[in-house]
Amino acid sequence: MSLLRLALRATPRPPLLHIQPTPRILPTRTFTTTPTLLGKKDKKAKKSNFKSEDEEEDFIPEEDEPRIKSKKDKSRSTDSFVPGSQLRVEPAAQEEYSKADTGMRTAVEWFRKECSATEVRMSGRVNTSILSPVRVVVGAGEGEEYTSRLEEVATVGIKDGTMLLVTPFEEKNMKAIEKGIWDASIPGVAPQRVDARTIKIPIARPTIQARQELYQAAKKKAEEIRVQVRKQLQASLKKGGWAKRSVEVDEFQKLCDRHVADIDKILEGLQKVSGGK
């Protein structure tokens, strides 16, 4: 047995063959994008991925490209800005400001007097100031026609604390005075002619409904005064022709707001007296 083994070891063996394994081929799937699902941005990206060699040589990095300024990219230096405390108003603007203030103040004071007379009527006290809105057209048809206050053509007195008596200075103005009282449209005032020289006006104690009517009439006048104040503001701004956000426009707007606030305050006080909401 030992000799047989030696003989087998001495015989040369054939070289081993190295067999390379065949690669396993997996099935591939292809995905296609439909034209409807492919957006504009995807198309641009797809085109940009396939560039020729010439295009790749001419390609400039984004860092080296010049920056294009957009419309929103607007910077403004603040060196020319002036603080509001150092702004100066033009002399012409100051003069127009005084005129506007005078006109607005006159309208507000007139409304204040009207509300005072209305407040007296709401309280039930008879006062001659009730007939202050009356205007009488004197000399109608005679060639010298003019308008005057009731106090200038007649005397107004109080009788028994519940009635007003109007006595004209001249008997020929009797009809004009009566017409003027009616035209004033004062709530609760109905003139009655007693004789050729006297007109009586009974004043009844106001009820809750009468107070509400007086307040509604005052509320309507308040809106008319607000419109008048705002018209004064617009006229002043149009005359001055200042810029939209200038200091002059701001001051005029503050003036208008202050007078409108005064009107609201007067009306609020009258509302408390009337007992309304």
Side-chain angles (χ1 to χ4, degrees):
M1 290 299 290
S2 61
L3 293 174
L4 182 60
R5 289 177 181 176
L6 290 172
L8 291 173
R9 288 179 183 177
T11 56
R13 295 180 180 180
L16 297 175
L17 295 176
H18 298 281
I19 301 173
Q20 295 181 353
T22 58
R24 186 180 179 182
I25 301 174
L26 298 175
T28 58
R29 296 181 182 179
T30 57
F31 297 92
T32 58
T33 55
T34 58
T36 56
L37 298 177
L38 190 62
K40 293 183 179 179
K41 294 183 178 179
D42 298 335
K43 289 181 180 179
K44 291 182 180 178
K46 187 174 180 181
K47 290 181 180 178
S48 62
N49 291 335
F50 299 96
K51 294 183 179 179
S52 62
E53 295 180 357
D54 298 336
E55 291 179 352
E56 290 181 357
E57 291 178 358
D58 298 337
F59 176 74
I60 302 174
E62 294 182 358
E63 298 179 356
D64 299 336
E65 289 181 354
R67 183 181 177 185
I68 301 174
K69 294 184 178 180
S70 61
K71 295 182 179 180
K72 295 182 179 180
D73 190 10
K74 292 183 180 180
S75 58
R76 184 179 177 184
S77 175
T78 59
D79 296 338
S80 60
F81 287 2
V82 181
S85 59
Q86 299 180 8
L87 292 175
R88 296 182 178 180
V89 182
E90 300 176 358
Q94 293 179 355
E95 184 179 355
E96 186 62 31
Y97 183 89
S98 300
K99 291 180 180 179
D101 187 18
T102 303
M104 295 177 184
R105 193 183 302 276
T106 302
V108 174
E109 290 302 322
W110 178 87
F111 179 67
R112 193 189 304 275
K113 292 179 180 178
E114 290 292 319
C115 287
S116 298
T118 305
E119 185 177 350
V120 171
R121 294 188 57 195
M122 286 181 178
S123 61
R125 300 189 305 268
V126 178
N127 197 317
T128 57
S129 60
I130 295 175
L131 300 179
S132 58
V134 177
R135 298 293 180 268
V136 181
V137 180
V138 181
E142 298 179 1
E144 296 181 358
E145 183 177 338
Y146 62 93
T147 304
S148 62
R149 295 176 177 271
L150 178 62
E151 296 83 358
E152 297 174 355
V153 295
T155 59
V156 182
I158 301 174
K159 181 181 180 181
D160 300 333
T162 58
M163 187 180 298
L164 292 174
L165 294 178
V166 180
T167 305
F169 298 146
E170 298 180 6
E171 188 176 345
K172 63 179 181 179
N173 295 330
M174 187 73 173
K175 187 176 181 179
I177 292 172
E178 187 177 4
K179 184 177 182 301
I181 296 172
W182 281 111
D183 293 343
S185 301
I186 303 173
V189 173
Q192 301 174 6
R193 185 182 295 192
V194 179
D195 51 35
R197 300 280 308 206
T198 308
I199 298 175
K200 69 175 182 179
I201 304 174
I203 305 296
R205 190 171 184 85
T207 60
I208 296 177
Q209 184 178 358
R211 290 178 181 177
Q212 290 298 322
E213 292 177 357
L214 291 172
Y215 173 72
Q216 292 300 326
K219 191 175 180 180
K220 186 177 179 181
K221 290 180 181 178
E223 185 59 31
E224 294 175 357
I225 298 300
R226 291 193 196 98
V227 172
Q228 187 175 346
V229 169
R230 294 188 182 104
K231 283 184 178 180
Q232 181 67 47
L233 170 65
Q234 296 299 326
S236 298
L237 294 179
K238 186 176 180 180
K239 185 177 181 181
W242 298 288
K244 193 171 184 180
R245 297 184 180 179
S246 60
V247 63
E248 290 84 2
V249 175
D250 292 340
E251 292 299 325
F252 273 92
Q253 187 62 50
K254 290 178 183 177
L255 177 66
C256 178
D257 295 342
R258 185 167 65 250
H259 286 295
V260 171
D262 291 340
I263 296 171
D264 296 339
K265 188 175 180 181
I266 295 169
L267 188 64
E268 184 180 356
L270 186 65
Q271 184 181 7
K272 292 180 181 179
V273 176
S274 65
K277 297 181 180 180

